[in-house]
mmCIF file with all atom_site columns, all heavy atoms in Angstrom:
data_model
loop_
_atom_site.group_PDB
_atom_site.id
_atom_site.type_symbol
_atom_site.label_atom_id
_atom_site.label_alt_id
_atom_site.label_comp_id
_atom_site.label_asym_id
_atom_site.label_entity_id
_atom_site.label_seq_id
_atom_site.pdbx_PDB_ins_code
_atom_site.Cartn_x
_atom_site.Cartn_y
_atom_site.Cartn_z
_atom_site.occupancy
_atom_site.B_iso_or_equiv
_atom_site.pdbx_formal_charge
_atom_site.auth_seq_id
_atom_site.auth_comp_id
_atom_site.auth_asym_id
_atom_site.auth_atom_id
_atom_site.pdbx_PDB_model_num
ATOM 1  N N   . SER A 1 160 ? -5.276 -2.231 3.584  1.00 95.00 ? 160 SER A N   1
ATOM 2  C CA  . SER A 1 160 ? -3.895 -2.085 3.120  1.00 95.00 ? 160 SER A CA  1
ATOM 3  C C   . SER A 1 160 ? -3.790 -0.825 2.277  1.00 95.00 ? 160 SER A C   1
ATOM 4  O O   . SER A 1 160 ? -4.776 -0.355 1.694  1.00 95.00 ? 160 SER A O   1
ATOM 5  C CB  . SER A 1 160 ? -3.467 -3.300 2.281  1.00 95.00 ? 160 SER A CB  1
ATOM 6  O OG  . SER A 1 160 ? -4.167 -3.306 1.046  1.00 95.00 ? 160 SER A OG  1
ATOM 7  N N   . ALA A 1 161 ? -2.573 -0.288 2.180  1.00 97.00 ? 161 ALA A N   1
ATOM 8  C CA  . ALA A 1 161 ? -2.339 0.896  1.347  1.00 97.00 ? 161 ALA A CA  1
ATOM 9  C C   . ALA A 1 161 ? -1.959 0.500  -0.072 1.00 97.00 ? 161 ALA A C   1
ATOM 10 O O   . ALA A 1 161 ? -2.019 1.330  -0.982 1.00 97.00 ? 161 ALA A O   1
ATOM 11 C CB  . ALA A 1 161 ? -1.237 1.764  1.960  1.00 97.00 ? 161 ALA A CB  1
ATOM 12 N N   . TRP A 1 162 ? -1.532 -0.741 -0.284 1.00 97.00 ? 162 TRP A N   1
ATOM 13 C CA  . TRP A 1 162 ? -1.138 -1.189 -1.618 1.00 97.00 ? 162 TRP A CA  1
ATOM 14 C C   . TRP A 1 162 ? -2.338 -1.737 -2.376 1.00 97.00 ? 162 TRP A C   1
ATOM 15 O O   . TRP A 1 162 ? -3.433 -1.806 -1.863 1.00 97.00 ? 162 TRP A O   1
ATOM 16 C CB  . TRP A 1 162 ? -0.008 -2.232 -1.537 1.00 97.00 ? 162 TRP A CB  1
ATOM 17 C CG  . TRP A 1 162 ? -0.136 -3.264 -0.463 1.00 97.00 ? 162 TRP A CG  1
ATOM 18 C CD1 . TRP A 1 162 ? 0.402  -3.219 0.791  1.00 97.00 ? 162 TRP A CD1 1
ATOM 19 C CD2 . TRP A 1 162 ? -0.850 -4.515 -0.544 1.00 97.00 ? 162 TRP A CD2 1
ATOM 20 N NE1 . TRP A 1 162 ? 0.067  -4.358 1.488  1.00 97.00 ? 162 TRP A NE1 1
ATOM 21 C CE2 . TRP A 1 162 ? -0.690 -5.168 0.696  1.00 97.00 ? 162 TRP A CE2 1
ATOM 22 C CE3 . TRP A 1 162 ? -1.586 -5.133 -1.541 1.00 97.00 ? 162 TRP A CE3 1
ATOM 23 C CZ2 . TRP A 1 162 ? -1.249 -6.414 0.971  1.00 97.00 ? 162 TRP A CZ2 1
ATOM 24 C CZ3 . TRP A 1 162 ? -2.151 -6.380 -1.283 1.00 97.00 ? 162 TRP A CZ3 1
ATOM 25 C CH2 . TRP A 1 162 ? -1.971 -7.007 -0.035 1.00 97.00 ? 162 TRP A CH2 1
ATOM 26 N N   . CYS A 1 163 ? -2.136 -2.102 -3.622 1.00 97.00 ? 163 CYS A N   1
ATOM 27 C CA  . CYS A 1 163 ? -3.136 -2.628 -4.567 1.00 97.00 ? 163 CYS A CA  1
ATOM 28 C C   . CYS A 1 163 ? -4.232 -1.627 -4.883 1.00 97.00 ? 163 CYS A C   1
ATOM 29 O O   . CYS A 1 163 ? -5.366 -2.014 -5.156 1.00 97.00 ? 163 CYS A O   1
ATOM 30 C CB  . CYS A 1 163 ? -3.726 -3.969 -4.116 1.00 97.00 ? 163 CYS A CB  1
ATOM 31 S SG  . CYS A 1 163 ? -5.015 -3.900 -2.862 1.00 97.00 ? 163 CYS A SG  1
ATOM 32 N N   . LYS A 1 164 ? -3.899 -0.337 -4.912 1.00 97.00 ? 164 LYS A N   1
ATOM 33 C CA  . LYS A 1 164 ? -4.899 0.680  -5.201 1.00 97.00 ? 164 LYS A CA  1
ATOM 34 C C   . LYS A 1 164 ? -4.247 1.994  -5.588 1.00 97.00 ? 164 LYS A C   1
ATOM 35 O O   . LYS A 1 164 ? -3.045 2.194  -5.353 1.00 97.00 ? 164 LYS A O   1
ATOM 36 C CB  . LYS A 1 164 ? -5.818 0.891  -4.005 1.00 97.00 ? 164 LYS A CB  1
ATOM 37 C CG  . LYS A 1 164 ? -5.075 1.279  -2.717 1.00 97.00 ? 164 LYS A CG  1
ATOM 38 C CD  . LYS A 1 164 ? -6.008 1.415  -1.544 1.00 97.00 ? 164 LYS A CD  1
ATOM 39 C CE  . LYS A 1 164 ? -6.739 0.148  -1.210 1.00 97.00 ? 164 LYS A CE  1
ATOM 40 N NZ  . LYS A 1 164 ? -5.862 -0.915 -0.671 1.00 97.00 ? 164 LYS A NZ  1
ATOM 41 N N   . ILE A 1 165 ? -5.039 2.877  -6.164 1.00 98.00 ? 165 ILE A N   1
ATOM 42 C CA  . ILE A 1 165 ? -4.613 4.241  -6.458 1.00 98.00 ? 165 ILE A CA  1
ATOM 43 C C   . ILE A 1 165 ? -5.434 5.178  -5.580 1.00 98.00 ? 165 ILE A C   1
ATOM 44 O O   . ILE A 1 165 ? -6.645 4.993  -5.419 1.00 98.00 ? 165 ILE A O   1
ATOM 45 C CB  . ILE A 1 165 ? -4.774 4.569  -7.957 1.00 98.00 ? 165 ILE A CB  1
ATOM 46 C CG1 . ILE A 1 165 ? -4.109 5.899  -8.305 1.00 98.00 ? 165 ILE A CG1 1
ATOM 47 C CG2 . ILE A 1 165 ? -6.221 4.554  -8.392 1.00 98.00 ? 165 ILE A CG2 1
ATOM 48 C CD1 . ILE A 1 165 ? -4.005 6.157  -9.804 1.00 98.00 ? 165 ILE A CD1 1
ATOM 49 N N   . ILE A 1 166 ? -4.757 6.165  -4.983 1.00 98.00 ? 166 ILE A N   1
ATOM 50 C CA  . ILE A 1 166 ? -5.395 7.044  -4.007 1.00 98.00 ? 166 ILE A CA  1
ATOM 51 C C   . ILE A 1 166 ? -5.219 8.494  -4.445 1.00 98.00 ? 166 ILE A C   1
ATOM 52 O O   . ILE A 1 166 ? -4.091 8.933  -4.693 1.00 98.00 ? 166 ILE A O   1
ATOM 53 C CB  . ILE A 1 166 ? -4.774 6.857  -2.609 1.00 98.00 ? 166 ILE A CB  1
ATOM 54 C CG1 . ILE A 1 166 ? -4.779 5.380  -2.200 1.00 98.00 ? 166 ILE A CG1 1
ATOM 55 C CG2 . ILE A 1 166 ? -5.513 7.703  -1.578 1.00 98.00 ? 166 ILE A CG2 1
ATOM 56 C CD1 . ILE A 1 166 ? -4.033 5.090  -0.912 1.00 98.00 ? 166 ILE A CD1 1
ATOM 57 N N   . PRO A 1 167 ? -6.295 9.269  -4.533 1.00 97.00 ? 167 PRO A N   1
ATOM 58 C CA  . PRO A 1 167 ? -6.146 10.688 -4.889 1.00 97.00 ? 167 PRO A CA  1
ATOM 59 C C   . PRO A 1 167 ? -5.361 11.440 -3.815 1.00 97.00 ? 167 PRO A C   1
ATOM 60 O O   . PRO A 1 167 ? -5.542 11.198 -2.621 1.00 97.00 ? 167 PRO A O   1
ATOM 61 C CB  . PRO A 1 167 ? -7.588 11.198 -4.956 1.00 97.00 ? 167 PRO A CB  1
ATOM 62 C CG  . PRO A 1 167 ? -8.451 9.987  -5.012 1.00 97.00 ? 167 PRO A CG  1
ATOM 63 C CD  . PRO A 1 167 ? -7.701 8.898  -4.324 1.00 97.00 ? 167 PRO A CD  1
ATOM 64 N N   . ARG A 1 168 ? -4.513 12.333 -4.254 1.00 97.00 ? 168 ARG A N   1
ATOM 65 C CA  . ARG A 1 168 ? -3.756 13.144 -3.297 1.00 97.00 ? 168 ARG A CA  1
ATOM 66 C C   . ARG A 1 168 ? -4.698 13.943 -2.394 1.00 97.00 ? 168 ARG A C   1
ATOM 67 O O   . ARG A 1 168 ? -4.417 14.160 -1.222 1.00 97.00 ? 168 ARG A O   1
ATOM 68 C CB  . ARG A 1 168 ? -2.818 14.082 -4.064 1.00 97.00 ? 168 ARG A CB  1
ATOM 69 C CG  . ARG A 1 168 ? -1.903 14.918 -3.169 1.00 97.00 ? 168 ARG A CG  1
ATOM 70 C CD  . ARG A 1 168 ? -0.974 14.007 -2.390 1.00 97.00 ? 168 ARG A CD  1
ATOM 71 N NE  . ARG A 1 168 ? -0.120 14.725 -1.478 1.00 97.00 ? 168 ARG A NE  1
ATOM 72 C CZ  . ARG A 1 168 ? 1.175  14.985 -1.728 1.00 97.00 ? 168 ARG A CZ  1
ATOM 73 N NH1 . ARG A 1 168 ? 1.708  14.609 -2.863 1.00 97.00 ? 168 ARG A NH1 1
ATOM 74 N NH2 . ARG A 1 168 ? 1.912  15.602 -0.841 1.00 97.00 ? 168 ARG A NH2 1
ATOM 75 N N   . THR A 1 169 ? -5.833 14.365 -2.958 1.00 96.00 ? 169 THR A N   1
ATOM 76 C CA  . THR A 1 169 ? -6.790 15.137 -2.172 1.00 96.00 ? 169 THR A CA  1
ATOM 77 C C   . THR A 1 169 ? -7.405 14.306 -1.044 1.00 96.00 ? 169 THR A C   1
ATOM 78 O O   . THR A 1 169 ? -7.813 14.859 -0.019 1.00 96.00 ? 169 THR A O   1
ATOM 79 C CB  . THR A 1 169 ? -7.909 15.677 -3.070 1.00 96.00 ? 169 THR A CB  1
ATOM 80 O OG1 . THR A 1 169 ? -8.482 14.586 -3.826 1.00 96.00 ? 169 THR A OG1 1
ATOM 81 C CG2 . THR A 1 169 ? -7.386 16.722 -4.040 1.00 96.00 ? 169 THR A CG2 1
ATOM 82 N N   . ALA A 1 170 ? -7.486 12.990 -1.223 1.00 97.00 ? 170 ALA A N   1
ATOM 83 C CA  . ALA A 1 170 ? -8.018 12.129 -0.162 1.00 97.00 ? 170 ALA A CA  1
ATOM 84 C C   . ALA A 1 170 ? -7.016 11.968 0.972  1.00 97.00 ? 170 ALA A C   1
ATOM 85 O O   . ALA A 1 170 ? -7.387 11.867 2.139  1.00 97.00 ? 170 ALA A O   1
ATOM 86 C CB  . ALA A 1 170 ? -8.399 10.762 -0.728 1.00 97.00 ? 170 ALA A CB  1
ATOM 87 N N   . ILE A 1 171 ? -5.739 11.959 0.614  1.00 97.00 ? 171 ILE A N   1
ATOM 88 C CA  . ILE A 1 171 ? -4.699 11.825 1.640  1.00 97.00 ? 171 ILE A CA  1
ATOM 89 C C   . ILE A 1 171 ? -4.569 13.112 2.443  1.00 97.00 ? 171 ILE A C   1
ATOM 90 O O   . ILE A 1 171 ? -4.486 13.093 3.671  1.00 97.00 ? 171 ILE A O   1
ATOM 91 C CB  . ILE A 1 171 ? -3.359 11.446 0.994  1.00 97.00 ? 171 ILE A CB  1
ATOM 92 C CG1 . ILE A 1 171 ? -3.450 10.040 0.392  1.00 97.00 ? 171 ILE A CG1 1
ATOM 93 C CG2 . ILE A 1 171 ? -2.216 11.515 2.011  1.00 97.00 ? 171 ILE A CG2 1
ATOM 94 C CD1 . ILE A 1 171 ? -2.230 9.602  -0.365 1.00 97.00 ? 171 ILE A CD1 1
#
Side-chain angles (χ1 to χ4, degrees):
S160 69
W162 42 266
C163 80
K164 57 183 61 69
I165 190 169
I166 307 173
R168 184 63 183 258
T169 53
I171 293 175

